[in-house]
């Protein structure tokens, strides 16, 4: 498996390759531990668990997984807007979850 890390200064701890939405919010993500060579097992976690990981400092990237190649896309962040936490790759301060570039599962 080939992994591309263009323009990354730090290797991620985890990658997210797919999302599940419920009522226009992300409810779960497909998370993979990152080992650098692209071979990584995945599991499903709740949105709240992703936010906790981001808040404790885990470096997590959205990633496109096609065939035998993983392309790291953008760093995922958790931001607060009007008292609510959201996960996204853009710091746009909109009250909505992002990660629209990832497929649904």
């Amino acid at each position: 498996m080939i992994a591309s890390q263009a323009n990354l200064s730090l290797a991620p701890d985890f990658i997210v390759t797919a999302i599940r939405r419920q009522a226009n919010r992300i409810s779960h993500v497909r998370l993979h531990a990152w080992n650098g060579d692209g071979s990584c097992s995945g599991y499903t976690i709740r949105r709240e668990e992703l936010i906790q990981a981001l808040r404790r400092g885990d470096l997590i990237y959205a990633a496109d997984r096609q065939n035998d190649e993983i392309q790291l896309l953008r760093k995922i962040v958790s931001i607060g807007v009007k008292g609510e936490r959201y996960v996204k790759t853009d710091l746009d301060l909109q009250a909505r979850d992002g990660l629209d570039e990832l497929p649904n599962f």
Side-chain angles (χ1 to χ4, degrees):
M1 186 171 293
I2 300 169
S4 174
Q5 287 184 250
N7 301 319
L8 294 181
S9 59
L10 297 173
D13 299 308
F14 300 95
I15 61 172
V16 172
T17 57
I19 60 173
R20 181 180 301 149
R21 289 194 183 268
Q22 183 176 19
N24 294 323
R25 289 192 87 167
I26 292 172
S27 63
H28 295 81
V29 298
R30 189 75 178 152
L31 187 77
H32 305 263
W34 182 255
N35 63 11
D37 69 1
S39 60
C40 45
S41 60
Y43 46 96
T44 300
I45 65 169
R46 293 177 297 118
R47 175 182 181 278
E48 293 79 14
E49 293 171 297
L50 176 62
I51 290 171
Q52 289 172 1
L54 291 165
R55 293 191 77 185
R56 76 172 164 256
D58 290 344
L59 186 57
I60 304 173
Y61 274 78
D64 183 18
R65 187 174 194 166
Q66 294 183 11
N67 301 323
D68 285 339
E69 187 172 324
I70 294 176
Q71 175 71 40
L72 298 179
L73 301 173
R74 299 181 74 186
K75 181 180 171 183
I76 298 173
V77 296
S78 171
I79 64 170
V81 179
K82 298 179 183 176
E84 293 286 327
R85 300 292 311 174
Y86 297 93
V87 292
K88 48 182 63 206
T89 54
D90 290 317
L91 295 175
D92 59 14
L93 299 179
Q94 292 183 14
R96 66 179 291 279
D97 286 325
L99 309 184
D100 296 331
E101 67 271 30
L102 297 177
N104 294 311
F105 72 99

